[in-house]
């Protein structure tokens, strides 16, 4: 039998050792490859956990550890993005002025960020889950402000203040959930997801739903759902590109996992329609806000930040629809978004360094100067809009299919219309970068992109194409298994 305790311990020990060694050696070149080695091992361990995950919920570590199919899937997404970002960071960070005495600190932060994200999905105690999410905020805020420019520092503080306020509401919601359980389980009991679900049917409706709304708004702030999303465009656009990929492709999934677990408590209480509808409304609102802002964006990474808002809205809609089909589509969307958004941030980072600007209006004729990497970035732009033949097309189509069978079919048509608007706006921006006017004389980009800048884009592109052409039956079976058990 697989020892999940040993696998989980190794999953945490590897990045922790990388952090300690990087800070002890203080050598940028060593730091690059220590972090990369950590990422490779974490990816392997997360894959091993995913393959071996039991069909039912596993609880261990004196009751503090929880492993479910959905939690293992979120862990795997973290492992994938951490590996891709660690490869890309070697090429990207060497292009920054920080390529010197401070550079090793970035890699320690990246390993630390990965470690905090690997802890949260495995927590059986909602309170400790909240603490782990809070730690992800603290570590990632330092990554957002790493370049020390005024905009970066402002974005980091904005991120800290808004997300901390949201998490304070989430903590209040957890306290109220626990208080509701005291009416059934006694004045003192173990705070676990299972105990909260067990007590939910006898908790007063108003208290149960109010507790959920607090956690929905609180963790929804961390996810970046509208209207609590105001930190997200700044943080994702001002941090280094590999940090942006980890924020968007990995962290947001974890916060959404928390929302889904709290929603399962409301479901157990017999009020599924209220909980799912609340999440669905925030998802639709997020999609609407993203569509309106993407149309008018000029900053490359800022546009991708609003794209993250879009895809978190799609995930919220998928989980909000409920039912096995929409749930499977949402899980498939997680991995496809993690891969595609990583590719897009890597491409944006390359073009920003090549052209010396964040403005897409100044990135002209990218295929002429960077035919290969620019071409992959363009294909990634097609993929991120949910167009065929890429993975996000299949996942969004599956969510729409599930929505037709749900209690809220109206959201299907709203989602479809907004996705069409985003597709048009997104590709219009890329049309100008590819076929727009020639750069001014003397402003042509001359930067030569390294192997490290291009390899992770290819590593992300291949699976999103494969997953768009072929949805493995084994994955579908796994998603159905994940739907059938508690999250």
């Amino acid at each position: 039998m697989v020892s999940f305790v040993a696998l989980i311990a190794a999953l945490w020990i590897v990045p922790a050792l990388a952090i300690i060694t990087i800070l002890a050696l203080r050598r940028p070149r060593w730091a690059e490859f220590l972090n990369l080695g950590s990422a490779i091992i974490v990816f392997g361990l997360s894959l091993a956990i995913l393959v071996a995950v039991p069909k039912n919920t596993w609880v261990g570590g004196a009751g503090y550890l929880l492993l479910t199919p959905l939690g293992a899937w979120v862990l795997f997404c973290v492992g994938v993005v951490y590996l891709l970002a660690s490869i890309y960071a070697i090429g990207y960070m060497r292009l920054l002025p920080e390529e010197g005495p401070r550079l090793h600190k970035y890699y320690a932060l990246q390993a630390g960020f990965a470690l905090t994200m690997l802890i949260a999905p495995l927590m059986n105690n909602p309170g400790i889950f909240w603490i782990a999410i809070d730690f992800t905020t603290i570590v990632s805020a330092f990554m957002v402000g790493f370049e020390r420019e005024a905009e970066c520092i402002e974005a980091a503080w904005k991120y800290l203040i808004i997300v901390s306020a949201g998490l304070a509401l989430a903590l209040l919601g957890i306290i109220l959930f626990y208080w509701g359980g005291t009416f059934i389980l006694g004045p003192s009991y173990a705070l676990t997801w299972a105990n909260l679900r067990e007590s939910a049917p006898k908790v007063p409706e108003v208290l149960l739903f109010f507790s959920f709304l607090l956690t929905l708004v609180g963790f929804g702030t961390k996810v970046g759902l509208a209207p609590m999303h105001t930190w997200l465009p700044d943080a994702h656009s001002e941090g280094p590109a590999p940090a942006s990929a980890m924020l968007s492709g990995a962290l947001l999934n974890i916060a959404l996992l928390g929302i889904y677990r709290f929603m399962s408590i409301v479901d157990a209480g017999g009020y599924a329609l209220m909980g799912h509808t609340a999440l669905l409304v925030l998802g639709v609102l997020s999609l609407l806000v993203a569509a309106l802002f993407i149309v008018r964006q000029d900053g490359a990474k800022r546009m991708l930040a609003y794209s993250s808002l879009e895809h978190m809205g799609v995930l919220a809609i998928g989980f909000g629809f409920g039912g096995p089909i929409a749930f499977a589509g949402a899980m498939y969307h997680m991995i496809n978004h993690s891969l595609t958004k990583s590719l897009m941030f890597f491409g944006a980072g390359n073009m920003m360094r090549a052209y010396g600007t964040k403005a897409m209006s100044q990135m002209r004729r990218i295929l002429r100067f960077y035919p290969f990497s620019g071409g992959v970035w363009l294909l990634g732009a097609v993929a991120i809009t949910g167009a065929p033949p890429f993975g996000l097309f299949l996942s969004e189509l599956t969510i729409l299919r599930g929505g037709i069978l749900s209690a809220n079919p109206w959201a299907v048509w709203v989602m479809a219309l907004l996705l069409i608007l985003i597709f048009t706006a997104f590709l219009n921006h890329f049309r100008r970068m590819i076929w727009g006017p020639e750069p001014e004389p003397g402003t042509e980009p001359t930067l030569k992109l390294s192997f490290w800048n291009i390899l992770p884009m290819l590593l992300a592109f291949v699976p999103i194409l494969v997953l768009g052409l072929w949805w493995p039956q084994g994955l579908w079976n796994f998603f159905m298994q994940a739907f059938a058990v508690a999250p």
Side-chain angles (χ1 to χ4, degrees):
M1 182 177 176
V2 176
S3 174
F4 287 113
V5 172
L7 283 174
I8 292 169
L11 191 70
W12 295 346
I13 290 171
V14 168
L17 288 176
I19 297 167
I20 294 169
T21 310
I22 288 169
L23 293 177
L25 293 177
R26 303 175 64 88
R27 294 185 179 181
R29 292 295 178 266
W30 280 91
E32 292 173 346
F33 292 103
L34 283 167
N35 179 62
L36 178 57
S38 167
I40 293 171
I41 296 172
V42 163
F43 171 76
L45 289 169
S46 66
L47 179 59
I49 291 173
L50 181 66
V51 170
V53 67
K55 292 183 178 180
N56 296 313
T57 299
W58 174 87
V59 177
Y64 285 97
L65 299 179
L66 170 71
L67 185 60
T68 65
L70 180 57
W73 187 247
V74 171
L75 277 180
F76 178 65
C77 291
V78 174
V80 169
V81 177
Y82 178 35
L83 175 58
L84 293 173
S86 296
I87 298 171
Y88 181 72
I90 295 175
Y92 181 84
M93 298 305 291
R94 289 178 182 180
L95 301 176
L96 300 186
E98 286 77 9
E99 208 282 325
R102 292 181 58 239
L103 185 57
H104 71 284
K105 296 179 182 179
Y106 171 81
Y107 291 103
L109 285 170
Q110 184 161 317
F113 188 28
L115 175 59
T116 58
M117 290 192 290
L118 293 168
I119 291 173
L122 294 165
M123 291 296 101
N124 191 30
N125 183 309
I128 301 178
F129 175 86
W130 180 89
I131 293 171
I133 290 288
D134 208 15
F135 272 113
T136 66
T137 305
I138 296 169
V139 177
S140 55
F142 283 102
M143 295 179 72
V144 171
F146 184 78
E147 296 182 34
R148 291 186 173 180
E149 296 178 358
E151 295 86 356
C152 300
I153 300 299
E154 179 184 355
W157 275 111
K158 188 174 182 180
Y159 171 44
L160 273 175
I161 293 169
I162 295 176
V163 171
S164 296
L167 289 178
L169 293 177
L171 180 59
L172 179 58
I174 294 170
I175 293 170
L176 291 180
F177 267 120
Y178 186 84
W179 180 46
T182 61
F183 298 123
I184 296 90
L185 301 176
S188 179
Y189 63 95
L191 177 59
T192 65
W193 301 104
N195 281 342
L196 292 181
R197 280 191 292 269
E198 179 188 345
S199 62
K202 297 181 180 179
V203 174
E205 177 184 352
V206 173
L207 176 59
L208 186 68
F209 191 59
F210 183 62
S211 302
F212 171 68
L213 287 180
L214 287 172
T215 55
L216 174 60
V217 172
F219 286 111
T221 304
K222 185 71 174 181
V223 175
L225 295 176
M228 298 83 67
H229 68 286
T230 50
W231 65 269
L232 188 147
D234 293 315
H236 287 212
S237 62
E238 297 300 336
S244 299
M246 292 182 71
L247 279 165
S248 179
L251 178 60
L252 302 187
N253 288 339
I254 298 171
L256 196 60
L257 171 65
I259 291 175
Y260 189 75
R261 283 178 171 169
F262 282 110
M263 189 167 67
S264 73
I265 300 170
V266 178
D267 292 352
Y271 307 107
L273 182 60
M274 290 193 300
H276 283 263
T277 302
L279 180 58
L280 187 66
V281 168
L282 285 187
V284 170
L285 180 60
S286 299
L287 205 56
L288 174 62
V289 171
L292 295 176
F293 277 91
I294 286 174
V295 169
R296 301 294 297 173
Q297 281 309 305
D298 187 43
K301 286 176 66 181
R302 199 170 183 87
M303 179 181 68
L304 295 179
Y306 281 108
S307 173
S308 297
L309 174 60
E310 169 208 349
H311 287 284
M312 289 305 105
V314 170
L315 282 172
I317 291 171
F319 287 128
F321 279 145
I325 296 177
F327 180 87
M331 285 190 70
Y332 204 52
H333 200 82
M334 277 186 176
I335 188 63
N336 283 301
H337 175 252
S338 294
L339 289 164
T340 312
K341 189 54 61 65
S342 296
L343 185 160
M344 292 305 294
F345 272 117
F346 300 158
N350 288 344
M351 294 304 110
M352 283 168 50
R353 292 303 154 193
Y355 284 86
T357 179
K358 298 176 182 178
M360 290 184 289
S361 58
Q362 301 301 314
M363 299 176 188
R364 301 176 180 179
R365 299 283 176 167
I366 60 174
L367 293 184
R368 173 184 162 191
F369 299 102
Y370 299 97
F372 186 76
S373 59
V376 175
W377 196 37
L378 172 60
L379 290 173
V382 176
I384 201 68
T385 60
F390 301 103
L392 287 172
F393 171 74
L394 280 184
S395 59
E396 290 178 352
L397 184 63
T398 305
I399 290 171
L400 289 171
R401 284 176 52 211
I404 292 173
L405 303 174
S406 73
N408 293 288
W410 60 269
V412 171
W413 312 110
V414 177
M415 175 179 165
L417 288 173
L418 291 174
L419 289 177
I420 293 170
L421 174 60
I422 291 170
F423 169 83
T424 305
F426 221 97
L427 293 188
N428 185 50
H429 292 308
F430 274 80
R431 176 191 61 81
R432 290 199 297 266
M433 287 190 284
I434 294 167
W435 291 290
E438 294 283 344
E440 297 292 333
T443 64
E444 298 88 348
T446 58
L447 177 69
K448 292 187 180 298
L449 298 174
S450 74
F451 165 84
W452 301 105
N453 293 98
I454 298 173
L455 175 63
M457 296 181 68
L458 286 176
L459 292 177
F461 176 75
V462 171
I464 64 175
L465 178 59
V466 171
L467 293 174
L469 298 173
W470 173 53
W471 185 326
Q473 183 62 39
L475 274 184
W476 181 268
N477 295 338
F478 176 76
F479 297 155
M480 292 299 100
Q481 171 190 326
F483 177 76
V485 302

